Amino acid sequence: MVEQSDRAPLLDWEEVPPPEPAPAVPSPDADGDRRPPDSPVTGAGGPAPVTAVTDEQDPDETDRTGPGLSGWEEKDQIVAVFVVTFDTRSGNMVEWCLPHDVNLDGVEFKSMASGSHRIANDFIYFRKGSYFGLACFANMPVESELERGARMKSVGILSPSYTLLYRYMHFLENQVRYQLRCPGHYSPLAAFYEDKKAVLPPAGNGLVTSCPTSALSSMVNRCMHPEMKITHPAGCMSQFIRFFGEQILVLWKFALLRKRILIFSPPPVGVVCYRVYCCCCLANISIPGIGGLVPELRPFFYINVADITALETELSYVACTTEKIFEEKKELYDVYVDNQNVRTHRDSLQSLLKINSADREKYRKLINHLNLAAWSFGSKSCH
């Protein structure tokens, strides 16, 4: 049996921080608790980083794009930034946001997963209508009877695309800690929004954008190499494969068939959102002669009971949840994944759950490839 959890290698990944940038405005994190910037793997363009925050671009970015990404570039498009808090009388609520007229209905529950009160911190990818979001959650003990001994907040952003959200992970983590220590101080978030806000098409339809198939295939190939940093969701592909073991072949078949796949896990949910991302990567491949006829398998990421109505009309998706009640809603999914247990209630799909000799041989070759890539990288590092 493979290991029961891959949380440790995912969340304890150590990176060597680059030289500190020189911000024009003092950072709110005066205590020096900072994480190194993310390391983009998709084509990166867009405006220069905002001077009030620390999201410097990796200088090696051009070496990480891989073949097939030249000629395709995605811009920073942040359509909203927000702070969600837990109020002991009102529950989850949006405390602050920009722009002030943006529709954030339901974001207060998407950005603070059910059960999060039991953990210290987390990050959550989610979908809000035609937009995608990333929020960082933190829970800090306080000596306050009004707050019942705990202060919980999430700081998040919305964008038309999910492929660049990872860039702002460290900024959101820093900001949620800052909001816990200094509630009500929103100037760094306002500066960030002014620098990164989207210039959407005149139609304002907010269509979901995604990486072209050729670029995504290249990105998946890159994520098979251990030098990719975990700060990008696809960077955990090797852990994703090892976590599920031979069951990865079962997931692959269901993903290729564009089935509705729901992954359950208790909090923290961040690592499970990465599994959603990787599951979509398994399916988004270029098939000669078919091309655009096959719909893209898009991630819903984290969902809760408020998303039930939206899921009822979806023909294909991958999502994760912390709410066990979804297991009983069999009309909403085709495949249910609980830890490493992959199952389906549909008779027509039962045969796909069986691991045959061909599957075992494919998995053996896949693991050999991962081990060889890890050994090769380790040898180069020694020199």
Side-chain angles (χ1 to χ4, degrees), residues 190-305:
F192 170 82
Y193 174 72
E194 286 302 316
D195 186 84
K196 301 293 185 183
K197 63 182 178 181
V199 179
L200 297 177
N205 52 20
L207 292 177
V208 175
T209 60
S210 59
C211 183
T213 302
S214 59
L216 184 55
S217 298
S218 173
M219 183 171 63
V220 173
N221 289 334
R222 289 290 298 170
C223 76
M224 302 301 287
H225 295 271
E227 70 266 29
M228 177 182 284
K229 296 180 181 179
I230 289 302
T231 46
H232 190 284
C236 68
M237 181 64 82
S238 61
Q239 287 92 332
F240 171 71
I241 293 171
R242 295 179 190 276
F243 178 77
F244 282 104
E246 294 177 346
Q247 292 291 312
I248 195 72
L249 277 304
V250 175
L251 278 176
W252 177 54
K253 294 172 187 177
F254 286 132
L256 287 177
L257 290 172
R258 301 300 192 266
K259 296 303 178 183
R260 299 172 299 171
I261 302 173
L262 180 60
I263 304 174
F264 167 80
S265 176
V269 75
V271 67
V272 193
C273 289
Y274 279 3
R275 291 174 192 159
V276 170
Y277 189 101
C278 290
C279 198
C280 288
C281 287
L282 292 178
N284 290 336
I285 61 175
S286 178
I287 304 176
I290 297 180
L293 297 179
V294 178
E296 180 190 5
L297 187 61
R298 287 177 176 162
F300 255 77
F301 295 114
Y302 175 74
I303 60 171
N304 54 36
V305 292

Side-chain angles (χ1 to χ4, degrees), residues 28 42 58 63 90 112 121 124 127 129 179 200 206 223 255 328 378:
T42 56
D58 192 326
D63 295 331
S90 304
M112 198 176 287
N121 53 72
I124 307 166
R127 186 167 168 178
Q179 288 299 318
L200 297 177
C223 76
E328 303 173 7

